Amino acid sequence: MITLPRGKAEFIMGISEEEQFDLWLKQNSHIIGIAVVGRSNVGKSSLINALFGKHTARVSNTPGRTREINIFKFRLEGADEVPLPDYYLFDLPGYGFAEASKQTLKKWNNLMALFFSFASHNVGLINIQDARHPDQGTDQTFYTFLKEYDYESILVLNKIDKLKTQKEMNELKKQMPVLFKKYKFVKQIFYLSAEKQTGVKEFHDAVVNFLLKKTEINYKV
Ligand code: GDP
């Protein structure tokens, strides 16, 4: 069984300057990986930690504290007989933080524009939203932004443990075809709880399959 490494994703650097990021993306235009983005406080760090082990990303209760793009490198485990490449994880800064200044917003926009213009299409975008109320204003704004770029995305609806009744769960399921129809670039939707680990295994396997598929196409393993 091939898995993501636990506790072994190597932090490479945090980038907040456009010039630096531009250079990095151009020097690394053929990499394979995933990028994770979502509204602040939606559970992005918790999800990264659920996939890669406890201390990979910082879990913070202060919305919008992580304004840098954090880049990690990792190898898949359980495939020793096949020479697999290094993979990359991009922890992208959260959007939709209430107290952000105009300058901060501009910086976010510029960094994200760089990312979606130059990141290889072998990097899968994972967008996290809140399962209790997906497609909120700031999520919609992000998708309007994303529509400008030809980029496919996986939508993760997190915190399903907060849906207490079957009725709430059914409401969420009903929204899935609506979201697929509204956002054509969303190719898969998962609902899970990063905190309680519900549904994380299925999502983990989808991430591994994505990475292996891209590897097969690019390296003919
Ligand atoms: P980030 O700002 O998007 O990185 O979000 P964090 O991972 O720091 O999480 C924000 C808050 O939501 C923290 O208090 C987490 O404990 C909580 N949280 C994250 N995932 C879940 C979840 O699946 N269920 C519940 N109930 N809380 C969660």
Side-chain angles (χ1 to χ4, degrees):
M1 194 181 48
I2 301 177
T3 62
L4 295 171
R6 289 195 71 78
K8 289 189 201 147
E10 178 196 344
F11 177 72
I12 301 182
M13 60 176 140
I15 293 185
S16 59
E17 296 309 320
E18 288 161 43
E19 297 75 25
Q20 194 191 6
F21 195 38
D22 188 36
L23 189 68
W24 196 94
L25 286 170
K26 285 174 181 158
Q27 285 170 344
N28 294 277
S29 55
H30 298 298
I31 55 164
I32 301 174
I34 53 168
V36 190
V37 69
R39 193 158 46 85
S40 314
N41 227 27
V42 75
K44 177 169 59 82
S45 307
S46 304
L47 185 67
I48 289 173
N49 289 343
L51 289 178
F52 289 94
K54 255 201 289 197
H55 301 296
T56 310
R58 183 180 43 153
V59 180
S60 111
N61 286 319
T62 317
R65 246 174 60 187
T66 38
R67 304 254 164 94
E68 293 197 327
I69 292 172
N70 291 309
I71 308 176
F72 298 81
K73 191 161 85 171
F74 61 92
R75 298 190 78 93
L76 288 174
E77 297 199 328
D80 297 341
E81 67 283 4
V82 213
L84 294 177
D86 284 331
Y87 297 95
Y88 289 82
L89 160 68
F90 296 87
D91 180 359
L92 301 176
Y95 55 78
F97 29 86
E99 83 288 11
S101 66
K102 264 203 176 129
Q103 203 189 353
T104 306
L105 288 175
K106 189 161 173 253
K107 197 158 196 176
W108 187 92
N109 256 290
N110 292 346
L111 277 175
M112 290 301 108
L114 270 179
F115 184 78
F116 291 111
S117 303
F118 297 112
S120 111
H121 280 249
N122 296 322
V123 176
L125 178 69
I126 295 159
N127 173 230
I128 312 170
Q129 297 188 10
D130 193 317
R132 288 167 296 175
H133 28 69
D135 203 25
Q136 286 205 339
T138 46
D139 297 317
Q140 291 172 9
T141 307
F142 175 62
Y143 276 4
T144 305
F145 172 85
L146 194 61
K147 232 167 80 181
E148 300 291 311
Y149 305 91
D150 177 25
Y151 221 90
E152 293 183 357
S153 153
I154 294 176
L155 174 57
V156 169
L157 301 171
N158 187 33
K159 306 197 185 185
I160 54 159
D161 57 292
K162 295 222 179 190
L163 301 177
K164 295 294 179 209
T165 63
Q166 192 56 44
K167 188 162 168 260
E168 284 175 306
M169 204 59 208
N170 290 341
E171 279 302 317
L172 173 68
K173 285 183 188 161
K174 260 202 267 173
Q175 290 197 47
M176 311 253 276
V178 180
L179 291 169
F180 274 130
K181 198 163 168 212
K182 189 168 170 190
Y183 302 112
K184 296 278 186 272
F185 48 83
V186 172
K187 298 298 172 196
Q188 281 178 289
I189 300 180
F190 291 87
Y191 41 94
L192 53 80
S193 164
E195 195 157 283
K196 305 269 187 252
Q197 302 276 325
T198 323
V200 170
K201 171 82 176 69
E202 289 78 1
F203 177 60
H204 164 279
D205 292 352
V207 169
V208 170
N209 284 338
F210 170 84
L211 297 172
L212 289 176
K213 198 173 94 193
K214 292 294 178 187
T215 311
E216 211 174 307
I217 293 167
N218 287 277
Y219 291 85
K220 312 247 179 309
V221 287

